[in-house]
Amino acid sequence: MLKLLSKKLRRHLFTTPTHSQKAPFLSNLSCFYKWDYSEIEGYDNLLNPKGAILISEGRASDIYDTKKTFFLTQGSTTGILSAMKAVLNFGDKVLVARNCHKSVYSGLVLTGANVDWFMPDTKSEMCSKWGIMGKINPEELKDTFKLNQYKAFIMTSPTYEGIVSDIAEISRICKEYGVLLIVDEAHGALYNFSDLLPVPAIKLGADFSVNSLHKNAGGINQCALLHVSKDCPYDWCEIQNAINLFHTSSPSYPMIANIEANISFLASPKGKKEIESLISNIKKFKNDLEDAGFEILGNDCQDVTKIVLRLDGADCSKLSDILFDEYNIEDEISSEFCCLYLTGIGTKKSKLDKLKSALIDAKIKKFDKIRIDEAKIPVFQPYPLTKLQPWEAFNRDYIYVTKQNAPLMLSSEMIVPYPPGIGILYPGEAIQQEHLEFLSEDVGVIKP
């Protein structure tokens, strides 16, 4: 694909796009425009690859050791929806970890599958201290499978904060009970390329997994991959058909080329050296911050590229505000309990040094401004009380009620904080007391 795009095309194109590979109003993006073709003669088609894209995806499959690796130009969301559509039929039962991305909810609406929710760990000391959800407990999962039959189990690993579940054991249990395993591994796009990082889910028995190259692997926004295991019982053509339901009919060739180049770089000696350097710099960064009095999420976070930190006695959301306002540094997400800083290809030592200096300076000079008044305990979302399945609730009529009258009524709205895109409340679920702080004064509820 890169060779095709770099080859000078001597044609007068009267096709889409009509900008003639020029950028008259965005000259700084002229290179992007130069490669921006449509499905013209001699170029391959991402939705029915038979030439350069087929070859490139084949190389990716070899690199990732999969039955098939699909290129996606609309993010991991497309991969999640496609995997769900490929395996789930109307009325199938599916078990979903509650810390999954909202794209899974969309998949439930579109497939008509019936969901049961599975809660990750929220009770351990780590969860209480850091205010984050933990791993999937394999024994609890096995107990759930003993009581119910499911077509698939959908989970997230790593979590937003880098918590990695025991995929090997979860996969073994899924196979024991005949359950397909779909893993949202969007934030684990580097795992295939370093022994210093967790083993990729697809190598530990997952039937499907997705990676977002733009999360930490160096790709541009929306570049992603859908991996299909060699042991997956579905033919790759069936999965391609599912992808074609969701993917645009005009995929971006510059993005396809970016995916190809990104994977080639990661698999190269230079790419692997870059990852090793990143990990080494992050480990030094974390050690220095611990010496300065910060707490770093360590053993529970197997993904070293995620920087999750807290400062005893401090409100980390206030620390986040100070770093943004006074040091021009923006984190990925923060709460009273911790701050999350994402790193990846492109995070150089100088960038980490700037963050380290700002954090230490803020601790020394601004601690009075970030001091927490009293010890707080994180309140996790309650187990959802599902009255209507997502596909049932989607088109139901709704009314508005006051927040005070909302408890135990069925929500018609989706409450999804961004980031990380994890649903707190979905349509068809009963509004509980813990939800009220996230609601406006007028609440949309399903009409009785």
Side-chain angles (χ1 to χ4, degrees), residues 302-321:
Q302 298 96 320
D303 186 341
V304 69
T305 68
K306 310 297 188 294
I307 299 172
V308 186
L309 59 81
R310 67 190 297 274
L311 185 57
D312 193 37
D315 181 336
C316 289
S317 62
K318 294 180 180 177
L319 175 63
S320 171
D321 291 341

Side-chain angles (χ1 to χ4, degrees), residues 9 18 131 140 220 227 255 296 334 342 355 377 397 435:
L9 192 68
T18 59
E140 291 181 6
I220 60 176
H227 303 297
M255 292 178 70
I296 306 292
S334 62
L342 295 184
L355 174 59
I377 299 174
D397 291 337
H435 298 135

Side-chain angles (χ1 to χ4, degrees), residues 187-214:
H187 281 269
L190 291 177
Y191 291 1
N192 198 73
F193 305 99
S194 174
D195 293 337
L196 301 175
L197 294 170
V199 179
I202 208 73
K203 292 184 177 180
L204 294 175
D207 294 286
F208 298 88
S209 70
V210 296
N211 291 150
S212 287
L213 292 173
H214 67 95

